[in-house]
Amino acid sequence: MTVTICSDATRAEVEDFLYEEAALLDAWKLDEWLALLTDDAYYRVPSNDRPDSEPSGTLFTIADDIARIRSRVARLKDRNAHAEFPPSRTRRLITNVRIVESQPLRVEANFVVYRYRSNEDARQYVGRYRYVLRKEGGRLRIAGREAILDAMELASLGAVSFIL
């Protein structure tokens, strides 16, 4: 497989890719979502008081490497995973997509994720995504994905048992 630096990626191409990712997650097409990730991908949700820190020295809500991401997806698809069975209904809105660096391709975007679960009130998760993207085989893929939440405290949002 050929890996190339993405200096040639356009904002429109990146936006389409992020919209496709959001649609896959909202539809709970988790295997298809996994196919968007590189073999060395990471997924992180840092603490909201130190969003620019590294997981090696700071507590993170989620700090998964590719093996843990695959394990998380397997758990979410398991009918015995009571935290997400039946799965939450989510709707992601992605806005203000910006390419902040071209080599490596670093992208930021704002998000709102609405989560509906059983008879609970809707929860809103607001923040920004930070991505590291690469082209492999001519397609954009996710090498790194961070969801930085704007909430001052997370208790009112409930468990982040789905993929933010």
Side-chain angles (χ1 to χ4, degrees):
M1 183 172 302
T2 305
V3 177
T4 57
I5 301 299
C6 288
S7 60
D8 62 338
T10 66
R11 183 176 47 81
E13 181 182 11
V14 169
E15 282 179 339
D16 287 346
F17 179 77
L18 297 184
Y19 298 155
E20 177 63 22
E21 181 204 21
L24 291 172
L25 288 170
D26 285 343
W28 280 80
K29 294 182 176 180
L30 300 179
D31 291 323
E32 290 92 333
W33 176 75
L34 270 178
L36 298 179
L37 279 61
T38 62
D39 288 335
D40 61 346
Y42 61 85
Y43 165 53
R44 298 176 182 160
V45 180
S47 64
N48 48 3
D49 62 334
R50 300 207 40 216
D52 294 319
S53 59
E54 288 294 320
S56 60
T58 305
L59 180 65
F60 268 54
T61 303
I62 296 169
D64 291 353
D65 60 13
I66 192 64
R68 289 185 61 134
I69 295 169
R70 289 179 180 135
S71 176
R72 179 180 299 276
V73 166
R75 254 189 343 269
L76 288 171
K77 291 171 31 180
D78 186 342
R79 293 178 64 88
N80 294 316
H82 69 278
E84 283 301 332
F85 189 81
S88 296
R89 289 179 294 139
T90 58
R91 185 65 54 213
R92 288 164 175 77
L93 306 178
I94 312 294
T95 67
N96 297 59
V97 176
R98 301 168 308 284
I99 295 175
V100 295
E101 188 176 335
S102 60
Q103 293 185 3
L105 180 57
R106 295 186 186 279
V107 172
E108 293 186 0
N110 295 337
F111 70 84
V112 177
V113 178
Y114 294 95
R115 179 187 188 204
Y116 302 89
R117 176 122 183 92
S118 301
N119 293 322
E120 298 174 8
D121 290 335
R123 306 273 171 108
Q124 297 177 35
Y125 300 80
V126 179
R128 72 184 155 102
Y129 289 129
R130 291 190 296 212
Y131 288 90
V132 176
L133 302 177
R134 286 200 298 254
K135 275 195 178 172
E136 292 184 355
R139 278 194 67 193
L140 284 174
R141 306 262 317 268
I142 299 168
R145 182 183 196 275
E146 292 183 321
I148 297 95
L149 292 165
D150 287 342
M152 295 305 291
E153 55 85 27
L154 300 180
S156 64
L157 296 177
V160 185
S161 55
F162 63 102
I163 295 171
L164 192 60

